[in-house]
Amino acid sequence: MLDIKMLREEQQTLILALKNRGAAFDLTPIIAADAERRELLSAIETKRAARNGASEKVGRLMREVGRTKQAGGSAAALEAEVVALKEQSGALGADIAQLEDRLRPIHEEINHMWLMVPNIPHESTPIGADETDNPTVRTWGEPTEFDFEPKAHWDIGTDLKIFDLERAAKIARARFALYMGAGARLERALINFMLDTHTGDHGYMEVFPPVLVNEASMTGTGQLPKFAEDLFKCADDDLWLIPTAEVPVTNIHREEIIPGDRLPIKYAAYTPCFRREAGAHGRETRGLIRQHQFNKVELVKFVDPAGSYDELETLTNDAETILQKLELPYRVISLCTGDLGFSAAKTYDLEVWMPSYGSYKEISSCSNFEDFQARRANIRYRPTGGKPQFVHTLNGSGLAIGRTFAAILENCQQADGSVVIPEVLRDFMRADKIG
RNA sequence: GGAGAAGUGGCCGAGUCGGUUGAAGGCGCUCGCCUGCUAAGCGAGUAAGGGGGUUAAGCCCUCUUCGAGGGUUCGAAUCCCUCCUUCUCCGCCA
């Protein structure tokens, strides 16, 4: 959520930002509603002030009446005044109630519309229409070469019997995975390796949050109200399954004021993630790339606004480190305005080389949300001796486990069908190859 | 799941036969004074958010908020209802 003041004070910036995003958004109704809201608010406040004054006076007179009677005097005049005042402030109360009835729907309407307005892209976010306009920032390693016909990861996995998608579909439904044997172990090794690296080398605190969250949390990070159809919901309990650890971890500090000297706060969390992938049918249906449930290690930062773009660079580097240590070729792209996520001001995607696709495939998304999430979730910090201000929040995958798993199978496969385990995982795996 | 108790400002903690209590007192913190260091002492200040006015920074007016929402009333931290959370006891359970 943006500062509603932008609507009045920086309207041109807002209009340009929406245009760059390719978001057809008519601000006129919000602007009109906002003007009406402030007008009503002002009228209500004036009447409230009058009523408060009258009520306060009633209080004073009542005490005076008490004193007068106690002293044996007649308080008839005072009592008459009290009656008149009560009548007067009663009438004011009725006016206020009427105005409030008019204000309520307007307020809700503004709120509803405003929550649908996406973040303003940062000036360094390239302007473009869609993913074909995303520039490559840097490339690491070269696409893997094979002197045999490489297999896709779903065939490698099936042949090695390390995961079973058919039985997973029997247990749950399509697009769930059942990992077995060395596959289950590789999944766990990746989780441990990533968490150990981020907590040990990069200074993140490990957290393990709930994976079911309430509506306030989903709204705080921007999944609701706009993206409800992408989420699994436990309707009976009014809880939602998290699509990413970003949701519970960012909400750790919802409605809080963080002491300034505690920033930056850096969390690393492993969680399963759940996505309905509505509207994605037919795309990447084979293998582990697009699942309803997948594991992910997520990095989340709460930082001082002044340094948030430096923090985005280090966050991205922290995620890249994982790929480098696994010796998986990848590139970093900068999402252009037309491809940028709803809440983000700037995003780098890490894309790993996938031989079966013959291209790079997203494996991490690192974003700076500036104060967009912080304002929604009311996460602030107190600068030393200053007023509370919104923090900037950032997060990025560090990394998606299932896609890393797939990338290892495809990039590290051998002519004999086995898969060589990357050096850094061997202690975790207690093996140097599968098959 | 059953029974009982409680939810007040950064923290602790007063405050119910409703009326200058946005909230005593203490701690903490900030500024100043004092003490040749330290500790102690003295004085002042110290919640957040919204709207409006004004300014060079400042400041001024006003509304809202005492777990959340609703109700009663001229007026509610104080009364009523619903919900949430925490604690104690019982039950159940990995």
Side-chain angles (χ1 to χ4, degrees), chain A residues 32-188:
Chain A
D34 180 57
E36 195 176 354
R37 180 185 67 91
R38 280 180 300 134
E39 200 171 303
L40 278 170
L41 213 52
S42 156
I44 288 171
E45 281 189 9
T46 308
K47 285 186 186 290
R48 275 203 186 131
R51 190 193 59 186
N52 288 351
S55 292
E56 204 176 298
K57 198 166 175 190
V58 170
R60 278 202 301 274
L61 290 173
M62 292 291 277
R63 277 193 304 281
E64 207 173 317
V65 167
R67 278 197 300 274
T68 309
K69 282 186 171 169
Q70 208 161 27
S74 165
L78 289 172
E79 280 174 332
E81 198 176 343
V82 166
V83 170
L85 275 171
K86 281 189 181 181
E87 206 168 298
Q88 184 190 334
S89 83
L92 283 167
D95 288 354
I96 291 166
Q98 201 176 31
L99 290 170
E100 281 174 339
D101 285 344
R102 279 175 57 198
L103 180 64
R104 200 169 301 115
I106 292 170
H107 196 83
E108 277 168 19
E109 193 188 346
I110 290 172
N111 212 28
H112 182 73
M113 290 190 288
W114 196 238
L115 281 176
M116 296 294 183
V117 176
N119 202 356
I120 308 278
H122 186 246
E123 59 187 12
S124 67
T125 292
I127 293 171
D130 53 44
E131 68 271 9
T132 59
D133 292 328
N134 296 336
T136 300
V137 177
R138 57 184 166 269
T139 304
W140 190 91
E142 296 293 328
T144 314
E145 304 276 358
F146 298 94
D147 51 13
F148 57 92
E149 188 60 35
K151 296 190 283 187
H153 71 270
W154 50 86
D155 289 329
I156 301 168
T158 306
D159 292 349
L160 290 172
K161 296 184 167 47
I162 57 176
F163 60 83
D164 186 333
L165 300 179
E166 285 185 21
R167 285 200 174 100
K170 175 175 71 179
I171 298 167
R173 66 159 77 151
R175 296 207 183 188
F176 283 86
L178 167 65
Y179 294 90
M180 305 180 83
R185 184 166 197 116
L186 178 56
E187 187 83 0
R188 180 159 59 87

Side-chain angles (χ1 to χ4, degrees), chain A residues 227-283:
Chain A
F227 302 105
E229 62 180 20
D230 296 332
L231 302 169
F232 285 107
K233 183 181 187 186
C234 303
D236 286 346
D237 298 285
D238 241 348
L239 291 169
W240 306 71
L241 277 80
I242 59 169
T244 160
E246 163 193 346
V247 177
V249 175
T250 305
N251 277 283
I252 289 173
H253 296 294
R254 174 154 53 86
E255 314 283 343
E256 289 186 11
I257 299 173
I258 302 164
D261 58 14
R262 278 196 56 201
L263 298 180
I265 294 175
K266 299 161 68 175
Y267 295 125
Y270 152 71
T271 67
C273 303
F274 303 89
R275 299 186 183 178
R276 292 188 61 221
E277 299 295 349
H281 293 296
R283 296 182 60 200

Side-chain angles (χ1 to χ4, degrees), chain A residues 198-216:
Chain A
H198 293 310
T199 58
D201 301 346
H202 301 155
Y204 292 78
M205 176 186 276
E206 184 170 345
V207 294
F208 191 59
V211 300
L212 290 176
V213 302
N214 56 35
E215 186 175 321

